[in-house]
Amino acid sequence: MFGKIIRSKLFKFTLFALAAALIITIVYTLNSFDKAELVSTSGRTFERAQVTEIIEDNLQEDGNRYGNQRVMLYIKSGELKGQTVEATSPNGTLFGAVCRKGMSVIAIVSVSGESSVVTVYSRDRTIPIICFVLIFILSLWLVGEKKGLKSALCLGVSMVSVFLVFFPLVYRGFSPFWGAVIVAALSAFVTILTVGGINTKSLAAILGTMFGVCMAGAAASLFGLATGISGYNVSEIESLLFVAQHSDIQIGGLLFAGILISSLGAVMDVGMSIASTLNEIHEKKPELSSSELFISGINVGRDIMGTMSNTLILAFAGGSVITLMINYAYDLPFNQVLNSYNIGIEIMQGISGSLGIILTVPFTSFVASRLLKHKR
């Protein structure tokens, strides 16, 4: 018995080590290239600094701020590290900051020969962001214990998959759609096996997740064909076209790839919930047939997909709440709003993701019921 436990742990450790080595190799290989320089940033860096003095404030008698602040900054990093220099802080909503003495900021340092120009870019948000991330991980650990920490690890793998696998693949000319499928498969494989273990339940959840994600992508493609919406109708198309001139990115497929990735979490949740529920039912009542397990999965899935579809649609609606608020304030006609590209894309994202969730329920129920009754 003890020998079997040792062999089982050794097998899992070996499998984990091989998977980690494979992922590291893939990530390193995909990112071993030089990107085209779209904008010259020679001599310009973003450095940490601290406000030591307000030379000239821009606060007016009416309580508003106009123009720029002139401040003294102590530079904490980069070529000017250790020096105290004069800088300007623009009065903008996206750039600059309302500086106070002792405040930590991020400064744009532009050096050319012996001269340098320093501008406040924003307040330094590094420490608050790190603290909130640590609070999130701590909450996962306190509530979920070991599985909570595993969830945090899986989230890290998902982020690595998107930023260090998907983006390099697409930048090099790989299909965005199939790149998203690869990322979804990798994320689902790692997450479900880490949380659920190597078993029949996890296999059913992985298969159900991949089916649901692909169905969401297929639904988005059909919606795009029927409504004449493509990846060239997004608001950032001008910037994307400029980037495409200096790379091999297939910008037309980015929109649909984004839908696949955005629906992955919800679909994975549904797939794992159905597979885990059927596994528990099978363990308690092994005499149930495949058909009875399938019906149980459908019944459970009806409750899950109702709330998850609502969650997904509200998430997309929340992402476009600024656009919706502007449309409401201007009292735009219904036909104008409904047929605008921005609203059409949001509807496509919400409906496609929800269809992926809905179709995941019967597929996962069918696969799990068959695998659980015939597992070896």
Side-chain angles (χ1 to χ4, degrees), residues 1-328:
M1 181 66 181
F2 182 73
K4 287 184 177 180
I5 295 175
I6 295 296
R7 285 194 296 271
S8 176
K9 289 186 176 181
L10 181 62
F11 172 74
K12 291 182 179 179
F13 176 79
T14 303
L15 187 63
F16 175 80
L18 290 174
L22 178 62
I23 292 174
I24 292 173
T25 303
I26 292 174
V27 169
Y28 176 79
T29 303
L30 288 176
N31 290 274
S32 298
F33 70 97
D34 296 322
K35 290 187 286 187
E37 187 178 21
L38 301 179
V39 179
S40 178
T41 57
S42 177
R44 188 188 72 176
T45 57
F46 290 77
E47 309 296 349
R48 298 177 62 223
Q50 186 174 22
V51 180
T52 59
E53 181 185 352
I54 306 296
I55 301 175
E56 181 181 346
D57 205 354
N58 58 355
L59 182 63
Q60 306 302 316
E61 294 181 357
D62 60 1
N64 295 318
R65 293 183 178 273
Y66 304 101
N68 301 326
Q69 284 181 311
R70 290 175 56 228
V71 299
M72 295 298 294
L73 297 182
Y74 176 75
I75 308 299
K76 296 181 178 181
S77 63
E79 189 174 343
L80 301 183
K81 181 179 180 180
Q83 299 184 30
T84 301
V85 300
E86 183 177 332
T88 59
S89 180
N91 179 38
T93 54
L94 297 179
F95 304 101
V98 179
C99 294
R100 301 183 303 273
K101 187 176 180 179
M103 180 179 175
S104 296
V105 298
I106 299 297
I108 303 175
V109 179
S110 301
V111 179
S112 178
E114 297 296 326
S115 63
S116 61
V117 177
V118 182
T119 307
V120 175
Y121 173 69
S122 70
R123 65 181 300 174
D124 189 354
R125 304 183 180 94
T126 306
I127 292 180
I129 289 174
I130 292 175
C131 288
F132 272 94
V133 170
L134 292 177
I135 290 172
F136 170 70
I137 296 175
L138 181 62
S139 300
L140 280 175
W141 175 55
L142 291 176
V143 177
E145 297 182 341
K146 184 187 291 186
K147 286 198 173 183
L149 291 178
K150 288 181 178 180
S151 299
L153 175 63
C154 294
L155 179 60
V157 172
S158 298
M159 293 298 99
V160 168
S161 299
V162 173
F163 287 98
L164 299 181
V165 176
F166 176 74
F167 287 153
L169 276 175
V170 174
Y171 188 88
R172 290 183 165 193
F174 193 77
S175 167
F177 182 88
W178 291 111
V181 171
I182 291 174
V183 167
L186 179 61
S187 180
F189 186 82
V190 172
T191 301
I192 292 175
L193 288 186
T194 302
V195 175
I198 304 173
N199 47 47
T200 305
K201 170 186 67 177
S202 296
L203 176 59
I206 291 172
L207 294 175
T209 298
M210 291 310 304
F211 177 81
V213 168
C214 290
M215 288 299 99
S221 299
L222 290 174
F223 189 100
L225 288 174
T227 58
I229 294 177
S230 71
Y232 290 91
N233 302 127
V234 296
S235 56
E236 301 88 356
I237 186 59
E238 297 295 334
S239 299
L240 285 173
L241 288 173
F242 176 71
V243 172
Q245 293 175 1
H246 300 83
S247 66
D248 297 321
I249 299 176
Q250 301 177 29
I251 60 176
L254 288 176
L255 174 62
F256 304 103
I259 292 175
L260 262 71
I261 295 175
S262 61
S263 64
L264 173 61
V267 172
M268 191 189 306
D269 190 9
V270 172
M272 190 63 187
S273 298
I274 296 296
S276 182
T277 301
L278 291 188
N279 182 72
E280 187 69 18
I281 293 174
H282 177 68
E283 294 292 335
K284 299 299 181 182
K285 289 190 174 182
E287 68 275 8
L288 292 179
S289 65
S290 297
S291 299
E292 291 173 318
L293 284 175
F294 174 75
I295 294 174
S296 298
I298 293 294
N299 292 333
V300 172
R302 285 170 179 161
D303 294 331
I304 295 175
M305 68 184 183
T307 55
M308 289 303 299
S309 297
N310 194 37
T311 300
L312 197 60
I313 289 179
L314 288 177
F316 284 121
S320 60
V321 70
I322 295 176
T323 302
L324 294 173
M325 188 68 241
I326 292 174
N327 292 339
Y328 176 80

